[in-house]
Amino acid sequence: MSDTQLADDDKSEKNDHLNMQQLSRLTLNGENTILKEQDKFDTPTLDYLQSCVEELYTFHKNSFERNPEKVSYDKEVLNEKIKQVTALMKQNEESAISENKAQYYFLLGRTWSVTQPVSQECINVLSKAVKLNPTHLDAWNSLGECLVHLKRFSEAKYCFLASLKHGKSQVILRNLSIIMREAQLLTNENVHESLNAGIEYAKEAVELDSTDGESWAILGNAYLSLFFRKQDDKLLRQSINAFEKALNDSVAAQNADLHFNRGIALKYGEMYTDALLSFEKATILDPKWTEARETLEDLIKYITSTQTLYQRKGQLKSRRLQQMTDSLNTSCLGIYSTKIKTIRGQVMLEHIPLSKLEIGLNANKVVCGRVVCVVYSQEPVPYTFCLVDKELSCIVVSVYNLAQGRGPIIGDSVAIPEPYMTHIDATYKNQKFQYPSLRVNLPLTMVVNKKSVSAECVSQPQFMSKQF
């Protein structure tokens, strides 16, 4: 039964306005869906109403985690509980407003903001709350979050920033970090400034509580977003480190988003063992998250295909390989066949065979070969192919920031200056993946078919984390 129950001696007055001594206690847990009322003494109206709202949010958060197969049922129960809390609010409006009008409107708006889409009525009451009490940080934050859900990002950003005039809140700082990365607010002129600001807000949130995993996770997302724009490996390392700190928080460690985003960072760092485990953990924590499962499956297919094609040199016969590489000569180096201008002055890069490459940066060196295969992947980044040189040595090349459809194809000659070599060594569920790889972050440095790669071939991927 979901109807309101009164104490036995008050049954005849169940339709009357509830006074302070008749306020009931809501039972908002997954096992008992009945709204119970018990006499309450010595507790202000707003304190009681706030406890009801908090229980409502706890139910909303936990019900889907406990009952992932009962989503439609839980939504019905949740809607019923919202009606019950709203009824309590309305029945005790006069008493609550006499205590604190701004707080009453905040609690009412917070109750209505549980379900999506957020109504304009919800926006209106939260707006009243901040107008009545501009120092109410929680009200500013709730209003901002509701506006985000309505995709009114500029207004949401204003709310979060306005609250900072009255004090710092960890939640608001986290939300500011997120909103600064919102694609609809980014332009070519403000993108780096905004993303850097997002990092600083997340840092401030961490400073308020260095043990809070959610703040560390948002800082990791902020670093990762800027990494995709600047391709600075330091930012990628900082992102991964922040995610590691987040995992130290047992509560945050149960968040599927954290493991998924960590997996993205590790994948771009080509740390495939940990990336696979992170994606797997995300699917365990959120079995219905299709994107996480597909990302895991695609990464397994990608590194499996890459290893196979590397071992078989693109599955081309020796005679065909010989024919393809016989025509490789100095002219295939393009601009690297002569001295090039660098910050170190005029430099002549030494053309070396793939067999002479060393792990790490091969400064003042250039390699050249022909593409013998392209690795197919659902994910367009990185663009991966196998390169064979005149000695018939083979290596995997992963090119980042390359526009889709602009990569070199089978038979093309490719020259790579100062190549950065790594050795991929990954393990997952008794499968072993090993192959040498060249990582190219800047496609413009490559020479394809004796010509430098043009600017229209470059494209930067974007990192999109879940909103709030």
Side-chain angles (χ1 to χ4, degrees):
M1 182 175 68
S2 61
D3 293 332
T4 303
Q5 295 179 324
L6 299 178
D8 290 341
D9 57 348
D10 292 322
K11 286 182 180 178
S12 62
E13 300 177 355
K14 63 181 179 180
N15 292 323
D16 294 338
H17 177 73
L18 295 179
N19 58 39
M20 277 299 299
Q21 294 184 349
Q22 294 173 316
L23 281 174
S24 64
R25 182 167 185 79
L26 283 172
T27 302
L28 296 174
N29 54 56
E31 290 72 36
N32 188 351
T33 63
I34 300 175
L35 180 65
K36 295 182 178 179
E37 294 191 1
Q38 300 172 346
D39 290 342
K40 284 182 61 67
F41 301 94
D42 304 320
T43 303
T45 307
L46 283 172
D47 287 349
Y48 173 66
L49 293 178
Q50 181 167 341
S51 71
C52 294
V53 175
E54 289 173 354
E55 288 185 45
L56 176 65
Y57 268 78
T58 299
F59 172 81
H60 180 227
K61 179 179 183 295
N62 294 338
S63 61
F64 297 106
E65 295 175 1
R66 290 198 305 264
N67 304 303
E69 304 301 325
K70 299 180 180 179
V71 175
S72 59
Y73 165 77
D74 283 338
K75 283 184 177 179
E76 292 177 5
V77 176
L78 178 63
N79 288 334
E80 183 62 31
K81 292 182 185 299
I82 292 171
K83 291 179 182 178
Q84 293 166 357
V85 176
T86 300
L88 275 176
M89 291 279 187
K90 294 297 185 181
Q91 289 166 350
N92 294 277
E93 180 175 359
E94 184 177 347
S95 175
I97 285 179
S98 68
E99 292 180 6
N100 188 320
K101 193 173 185 179
Q103 180 69 359
Y104 171 75
Y105 284 128
F106 161 66
L107 292 175
L108 184 59
R110 188 159 162 75
T111 300
W112 291 343
S113 69
V114 173
T115 56
Q116 304 299 326
V118 176
S119 67
Q120 185 58 45
E121 191 175 12
C122 176
I123 298 294
N124 292 342
V125 295
L126 288 172
S127 297
K128 284 183 181 180
V130 297
K131 185 175 181 179
L132 289 165
N133 181 7
T135 66
H136 199 315
L137 301 187
D138 289 338
W140 278 115
N141 185 66
S142 292
L143 178 57
E145 289 185 353
C146 288
L147 290 167
V148 166
H149 289 302
L150 294 174
K151 299 189 183 302
R152 292 159 62 175
F153 299 113
S154 294
E155 295 171 79
K157 180 180 175 181
Y158 170 82
C159 290
F160 297 140
L161 288 172
S163 71
L164 291 185
K165 298 176 183 177
H166 308 289
K168 287 187 178 181
S169 158
Q170 192 174 11
V171 174
I172 290 176
L173 287 168
R174 291 198 300 246
N175 284 344
L176 264 173
S177 177
I178 296 172
I179 203 73
M180 297 307 287
R181 305 194 303 269
E182 171 52 47
Q184 292 188 28
L185 299 181
L186 297 178
T187 65
N188 290 333
E189 291 73 28
N190 73 8
V191 59
H192 286 102
E193 179 183 353
S194 296
L195 294 180
N196 276 304
I199 290 174
E200 293 306 314
Y201 286 129
K203 282 183 178 179
E204 288 188 59
V206 167
E207 288 172 2
L208 291 178
D209 182 1
S210 61
T211 65
D212 180 64
E214 187 174 354
S215 295
W216 279 111
I218 289 174
L219 179 58
N221 292 342
Y223 278 128
L224 192 55
S225 295
L226 188 57
F227 163 75
F228 280 119
R229 292 284 180 171
K230 295 183 68 174
Q231 292 299 313
D232 183 343
D233 289 342
K234 180 182 177 182
L235 291 169
L236 186 60
R237 291 194 299 272
Q238 288 174 313
S239 174
I240 293 171
N241 289 339
F243 289 138
E244 296 299 326
K245 292 284 184 67
L247 291 176
N248 291 331
D249 181 344
S250 59
V251 175
Q254 298 306 306
N255 188 325
D257 294 337
L258 167 58
H259 292 277
F260 181 81
N261 294 338
R262 176 175 177 263
I264 294 293
L266 291 165
K267 175 188 170 185
Y268 272 83
E270 298 184 350
M271 305 173 193
Y272 292 127
T273 298
D274 289 340
L276 289 165
L277 293 174
S278 288
F279 291 137
E280 180 185 62
K281 185 66 174 179
T283 63
I284 292 172
L285 292 172
D286 189 348
K288 289 194 170 186
W289 192 0
T290 304
E291 183 183 3
R293 185 181 67 255
E294 290 178 347
T295 301
L296 171 62
E297 293 171 352
D298 187 54
L299 183 54
I300 294 171
K301 291 177 183 177
Y302 166 75
I303 56 179
T304 300
S305 298
T306 302
Q307 176 176 252
T308 300
L309 290 170
Y310 160 73
Q311 291 172 340
R312 299 177 181 178
K313 296 183 179 179
Q315 304 189 66
L316 297 179
K317 294 181 179 180
S318 298
R319 183 177 178 182
R320 175 62 177 148
L321 286 173
Q322 194 69 57
Q323 290 174 341
M324 291 177 69
T325 57
D326 276 347
S327 58
L328 289 172
N329 53 45
T330 304
S331 66
C332 294
L333 298 176
I335 61 172
Y336 304 117
S337 61
T338 59
K339 287 185 177 181
I340 59 171
K341 186 177 181 180
T342 70
I343 57 175
R344 302 185 298 272
Q346 294 287 330
V347 175
M348 182 69 186
L349 301 184
E350 179 187 357
H351 180 202
I352 63 171
L354 295 175
S355 60
K356 297 294 184 181
L357 285 171
E358 298 178 353
I359 297 295
L361 180 65
N362 290 263
N364 299 326
K365 304 291 193 297
V366 61
V367 294
C368 183
R370 287 207 183 272
V371 178
V372 294
C373 65
V374 176
V375 181
Y376 172 77
S377 175
Q378 292 284 352
E379 183 72 29
V381 180
Y383 183 84
T384 304
F385 56 89
C386 290
L387 196 69
V388 172
D389 68 2
K390 210 168 181 66
E391 292 184 349
L392 300 186
S393 296
C394 184
I395 198 166
V396 174
V397 180
S398 296
V399 185
Y400 293 80
N401 307 303
L402 193 62
Q404 200 163 358
R406 295 286 189 166
I409 60 175
I410 295 174
D412 286 350
S413 66
V414 177
I416 302 172
E418 300 197 315
Y420 189 90
M421 181 180 176
T422 60
H423 184 74
I424 302 301
D425 188 354
T427 304
Y428 182 70
K429 291 187 175 180
N430 299 321
Q431 291 178 278
K432 192 79 172 174
F433 308 97
Q434 292 181 321
Y435 53 86
S437 176
L438 297 182
R439 182 187 181 104
V440 180
N441 285 335
L442 301 173
L444 290 175
T445 62
M446 294 194 309
V447 168
V448 178
N449 294 331
K450 306 178 184 181
K451 296 180 180 179
S452 298
V453 172
S454 58
E456 60 263 23
C457 294
V458 178
S459 176
Q460 291 179 321
Q462 292 187 16
F463 169 66
M464 301 295 291
S465 58
K466 286 186 178 179
Q467 292 281 16
F468 304 95

